[in-house]
mmCIF file of all heavy atoms in Angstrom:
data_model
loop_
_atom_site.group_PDB
_atom_site.id
_atom_site.type_symbol
_atom_site.label_atom_id
_atom_site.label_comp_id
_atom_site.label_asym_id
_atom_site.label_seq_id
_atom_site.Cartn_x
_atom_site.Cartn_y
_atom_site.Cartn_z
ATOM 1 N N GLY A 245 -15.483 15.311 -3.538
ATOM 2 C CA GLY A 245 -16.335 16.091 -2.601
ATOM 3 C C GLY A 245 -17.523 16.903 -3.133
ATOM 4 O O GLY A 245 -17.949 17.812 -2.504
ATOM 5 N N GLU A 246 -17.905 16.573 -4.447
ATOM 6 C CA GLU A 246 -18.982 17.330 -5.016
ATOM 7 C C GLU A 246 -20.294 17.187 -4.151
ATOM 8 O O GLU A 246 -20.591 16.131 -3.728
ATOM 9 C CB GLU A 246 -19.262 16.874 -6.439
ATOM 10 C CG GLU A 246 -18.023 17.314 -7.370
ATOM 11 C CD GLU A 246 -18.332 16.841 -8.798
ATOM 12 O OE1 GLU A 246 -19.514 16.513 -9.042
ATOM 13 O OE2 GLU A 246 -17.455 17.018 -9.697
ATOM 14 N N LYS A 247 -21.030 18.236 -4.078
ATOM 15 C CA LYS A 247 -22.301 18.326 -3.253
ATOM 16 C C LYS A 247 -22.026 18.145 -1.753
ATOM 17 O O LYS A 247 -20.795 18.200 -1.385
ATOM 18 C CB LYS A 247 -23.341 17.310 -3.835
ATOM 19 C CG LYS A 247 -23.819 17.674 -5.218
ATOM 20 C CD LYS A 247 -25.145 16.851 -5.506
ATOM 21 C CE LYS A 247 -25.739 17.275 -6.890
ATOM 22 N NZ LYS A 247 -26.917 16.507 -7.166
ATOM 23 N N SER A 248 -23.143 17.872 -1.040
ATOM 24 C CA SER A 248 -22.885 17.833 0.389
ATOM 25 C C SER A 248 -22.656 16.567 1.121
ATOM 26 O O SER A 248 -22.737 16.494 2.302
ATOM 27 C CB SER A 248 -24.223 18.552 1.003
ATOM 28 O OG SER A 248 -25.336 17.750 0.711
ATOM 29 N N GLY A 249 -22.538 15.509 0.377
ATOM 30 C CA GLY A 249 -22.410 14.196 0.910
ATOM 31 C C GLY A 249 -20.969 13.872 1.482
ATOM 32 O O GLY A 249 -20.892 12.805 2.188
ATOM 33 N N LEU A 250 -19.966 14.622 1.235
ATOM 34 C CA LEU A 250 -18.685 14.313 1.636
ATOM 35 C C LEU A 250 -18.613 14.135 3.188
ATOM 36 O O LEU A 250 -17.999 13.187 3.738
ATOM 37 C CB LEU A 250 -17.717 15.411 1.298
ATOM 38 C CG LEU A 250 -16.212 15.186 1.743
ATOM 39 C CD1 LEU A 250 -15.675 13.911 1.249
ATOM 40 C CD2 LEU A 250 -15.279 16.370 1.356
ATOM 41 N N GLY A 251 -19.273 15.022 3.987
ATOM 42 C CA GLY A 251 -19.171 14.950 5.468
ATOM 43 C C GLY A 251 -19.708 13.551 5.915
ATOM 44 O O GLY A 251 -19.159 12.888 6.873
ATOM 45 N N PHE A 252 -21.010 13.240 5.278
ATOM 46 C CA PHE A 252 -21.552 11.820 5.818
ATOM 47 C C PHE A 252 -20.548 10.681 5.313
ATOM 48 O O PHE A 252 -20.419 9.805 6.112
ATOM 49 C CB PHE A 252 -22.816 11.677 5.031
ATOM 50 C CG PHE A 252 -23.919 12.522 5.504
ATOM 51 C CD1 PHE A 252 -24.305 13.780 4.874
ATOM 52 C CD2 PHE A 252 -24.723 12.068 6.565
ATOM 53 C CE1 PHE A 252 -25.288 14.496 5.418
ATOM 54 C CE2 PHE A 252 -25.744 12.835 7.193
ATOM 55 C CZ PHE A 252 -26.002 14.100 6.547
ATOM 56 N N ALA A 253 -20.001 10.813 4.184
ATOM 57 C CA ALA A 253 -19.012 9.698 3.740
ATOM 58 C C ALA A 253 -17.863 9.602 4.680
ATOM 59 O O ALA A 253 -17.437 8.574 5.144
ATOM 60 C CB ALA A 253 -18.598 10.015 2.381
ATOM 61 N N LEU A 254 -17.303 10.809 5.100
ATOM 62 C CA LEU A 254 -16.169 10.739 6.017
ATOM 63 C C LEU A 254 -16.547 10.197 7.337
ATOM 64 O O LEU A 254 -15.900 9.442 8.027
ATOM 65 C CB LEU A 254 -15.680 12.205 6.155
ATOM 66 C CG LEU A 254 -14.710 12.716 5.137
ATOM 67 C CD1 LEU A 254 -14.444 14.197 5.310
ATOM 68 C CD2 LEU A 254 -13.367 11.929 4.935
ATOM 69 N N GLY A 255 -17.855 10.520 7.835
ATOM 70 C CA GLY A 255 -18.286 9.880 9.131
ATOM 71 C C GLY A 255 -18.317 8.359 9.013
ATOM 72 O O GLY A 255 -17.812 7.798 9.971
ATOM 73 N N TYR A 256 -18.830 7.855 7.960
ATOM 74 C CA TYR A 256 -18.867 6.410 7.781
ATOM 75 C C TYR A 256 -17.409 5.812 7.711
ATOM 76 O O TYR A 256 -17.061 4.737 8.281
ATOM 77 C CB TYR A 256 -19.664 6.057 6.546
ATOM 78 C CG TYR A 256 -21.131 6.305 6.677
ATOM 79 C CD1 TYR A 256 -21.942 6.373 5.455
ATOM 80 C CD2 TYR A 256 -21.750 6.412 7.876
ATOM 81 C CE1 TYR A 256 -23.330 6.657 5.548
ATOM 82 C CE2 TYR A 256 -23.175 6.665 7.861
ATOM 83 C CZ TYR A 256 -23.906 6.890 6.801
ATOM 84 O OH TYR A 256 -25.157 7.127 6.847
ATOM 85 N N GLY A 257 -16.561 6.586 6.999
ATOM 86 C CA GLY A 257 -15.193 6.013 6.741
ATOM 87 C C GLY A 257 -14.479 6.027 8.050
ATOM 88 O O GLY A 257 -13.778 5.134 8.298
ATOM 89 N N LEU A 258 -14.568 7.160 8.859
ATOM 90 C CA LEU A 258 -13.826 7.133 10.142
ATOM 91 C C LEU A 258 -14.244 6.091 11.173
ATOM 92 O O LEU A 258 -13.382 5.450 11.833
ATOM 93 C CB LEU A 258 -14.021 8.538 10.719
ATOM 94 C CG LEU A 258 -13.384 9.686 9.980
ATOM 95 C CD1 LEU A 258 -13.702 11.021 10.774
ATOM 96 C CD2 LEU A 258 -11.906 9.498 9.716
ATOM 97 N N THR A 259 -15.534 5.736 11.122
ATOM 98 C CA THR A 259 -15.991 4.733 11.986
ATOM 99 C C THR A 259 -15.478 3.387 11.505
ATOM 100 O O THR A 259 -15.047 2.496 12.268
ATOM 101 C CB THR A 259 -17.582 4.686 11.957
ATOM 102 O OG1 THR A 259 -18.041 5.777 12.400
ATOM 103 C CG2 THR A 259 -18.181 3.433 12.726
ATOM 104 N N ALA A 260 -15.513 3.183 10.101
ATOM 105 C CA ALA A 260 -15.005 1.893 9.493
ATOM 106 C C ALA A 260 -13.459 1.626 9.898
ATOM 107 O O ALA A 260 -13.014 0.554 10.066
ATOM 108 C CB ALA A 260 -15.300 1.779 8.111
ATOM 109 N N LEU A 261 -12.746 2.888 9.947
ATOM 110 C CA LEU A 261 -11.307 2.795 10.105
ATOM 111 C C LEU A 261 -10.917 2.703 11.634
ATOM 112 O O LEU A 261 -9.774 2.486 11.912
ATOM 113 C CB LEU A 261 -10.679 3.979 9.492
ATOM 114 C CG LEU A 261 -10.784 4.030 7.821
ATOM 115 C CD1 LEU A 261 -10.288 5.456 7.368
ATOM 116 C CD2 LEU A 261 -10.047 2.884 7.290
ATOM 117 N N GLY A 262 -11.786 2.868 12.441
ATOM 118 C CA GLY A 262 -11.539 2.600 13.928
ATOM 119 C C GLY A 262 -11.005 3.845 14.561
ATOM 120 O O GLY A 262 -10.161 3.833 15.338
ATOM 121 N N MET A 263 -11.776 5.045 14.375
ATOM 122 C CA MET A 263 -11.439 6.256 15.077
ATOM 123 C C MET A 263 -11.634 6.082 16.548
ATOM 124 O O MET A 263 -12.636 5.689 17.001
ATOM 125 C CB MET A 263 -12.210 7.345 14.572
ATOM 126 C CG MET A 263 -11.941 8.789 15.306
ATOM 127 S SD MET A 263 -12.880 10.100 14.440
ATOM 128 C CE MET A 263 -14.605 9.564 14.866
ATOM 129 N N PRO A 264 -10.421 6.124 17.333
ATOM 130 C CA PRO A 264 -10.562 5.728 18.729
ATOM 131 C C PRO A 264 -11.773 6.321 19.569
ATOM 132 O O PRO A 264 -12.336 5.576 20.372
ATOM 133 C CB PRO A 264 -9.188 6.199 19.346
ATOM 134 C CG PRO A 264 -8.339 6.190 18.172
ATOM 135 C CD PRO A 264 -9.169 6.715 17.009
ATOM 136 N N CYS A 265 -12.044 7.513 19.363
ATOM 137 C CA CYS A 265 -13.058 8.188 20.273
ATOM 138 C C CYS A 265 -14.528 7.580 20.023
ATOM 139 O O CYS A 265 -15.400 7.783 20.964
ATOM 140 C CB CYS A 265 -13.143 9.672 20.039
ATOM 141 S SG CYS A 265 -13.896 10.225 18.500
#
Side-chain angles (χ1 to χ4, degrees):
E246 290 183 11
K247 291 194 177 183
S248 58
L250 176 59
F252 286 93
L254 282 174
Y256 292 158
L258 295 179
T259 298
L261 294 171
M263 183 174 60
C265 72

